[in-house]
Amino acid sequence: MEKIKKTIYLTLILVLIEQLAKIIVNIFFNNISFRLLNGRIGFDVYLNKDYMSIFNHDYNLKLSIGTLIFIGILTLLFLFTYYMYILKNNALNSQIRFCLILVIISGICSLIDKIFWGGSLDFIVFFGYIIDIKDIYLYVGVILGISLFIYEYVIMKRNLEQAEILSLKGYIKFLKNIFRMK
């Protein structure tokens, strides 16, 4: 229960930081733009209403905001229940669990963006792309999480029983218990 409380506090704090940064940028810095190192880093405010997701940006699917919200809710439901499954089984080390929390927080921020901003207010220029804090949460969570998983369980082969506990069959059984399905 203590792990869940810490997770909730961390989630609230990081979501609040992300959203407050957007409010401050939108109110005080909306007309400021600069780039350094040949445009690779900088500050440029952009309300991204066109792409808002990998589905529209990379695959050009032109999904509506309603569809993206629905996909976001389903994704968060999966990530949250999987995180609870990991906690219940005391699986994966705390660093990898933290990385999963960052991915979940990114998903929450993305939903807030779509619902309240009508898109994503991006303002950080990073290697030519305009991103926001939730994108940083996502990239750090995914890249660091995969790297730590590979290092811990593939290269070092430590605590293999932690990773082996996590099976699709076990997760489905966990979901059935949550939703009281037989």
Side-chain angles (χ1 to χ4, degrees):
M1 192 62 158
E2 189 63 30
K3 288 179 184 177
I4 294 173
K5 279 185 181 179
K6 287 180 181 179
T7 301
I8 290 169
Y9 291 140
L10 178 65
T11 300
L12 290 174
I13 289 168
L14 292 180
V15 168
L16 189 63
I17 288 170
E18 204 263 350
Q19 290 300 311
L20 281 176
K22 288 185 177 190
I23 291 168
I24 291 167
V25 164
N26 191 46
I27 293 172
F28 298 109
F29 303 104
N30 204 351
N31 296 321
I32 295 175
S33 176
F34 68 88
R35 294 185 183 219
L36 305 169
L37 302 175
N38 293 326
R40 291 193 175 139
I41 62 168
F43 184 90
D44 193 2
V45 180
Y46 172 65
L47 182 57
N48 181 354
K49 289 187 171 193
D50 298 321
Y51 296 112
M52 292 187 286
S53 80
I54 190 171
F55 302 111
N56 288 353
H57 185 268
D58 293 348
Y59 303 117
N60 200 26
L61 295 179
K62 298 179 182 167
L63 299 177
S64 70
I65 194 164
T67 302
L68 293 173
I69 289 170
F70 180 72
I71 291 169
I73 290 169
L74 288 180
T75 302
L76 276 176
L77 186 60
F78 164 73
L79 289 171
F80 177 74
T81 57
Y82 196 70
Y83 179 76
M84 296 305 294
Y85 174 61
I86 288 169
L87 283 183
K88 178 185 177 284
N89 289 293
N90 199 26
L92 304 181
N93 67 37
S94 60
Q95 294 90 0
I96 296 173
R97 287 195 308 262
F98 173 74
C99 291
L100 182 56
I101 292 168
L102 286 177
V103 173
I104 292 169
I105 291 168
S106 174
I108 292 168
C109 292
S110 179
L111 269 180
I112 291 170
D113 286 354
K114 288 174 181 72
I115 293 168
F116 294 105
W117 292 92
S120 179
L121 186 68
D122 298 333
F123 54 90
I124 301 166
V125 178
F126 187 70
F127 287 94
Y129 293 98
I130 303 176
I131 63 173
D132 60 3
I133 296 171
K134 81 169 175 309
D135 294 326
I136 296 170
Y137 295 161
L138 178 64
Y139 295 137
V140 168
V142 169
I143 293 168
L144 189 60
I146 290 171
S147 300
L148 287 169
F149 186 89
I150 290 170
Y151 177 77
E152 183 76 14
Y153 303 110
V154 177
I155 296 172
M156 298 304 292
K157 297 187 185 319
R158 289 190 291 219
N159 303 316
L160 290 177
E161 66 280 352
Q162 286 183 348
E164 290 169 355
I165 290 171
L166 303 176
S167 69
L168 180 59
K169 185 178 178 181
Y171 176 65
I172 291 171
K173 184 178 177 184
F174 176 76
L175 287 178
K176 285 181 179 179
N177 287 335
I178 289 177
F179 298 109
R180 305 284 185 239
M181 299 166 51
K182 296 193 176 204

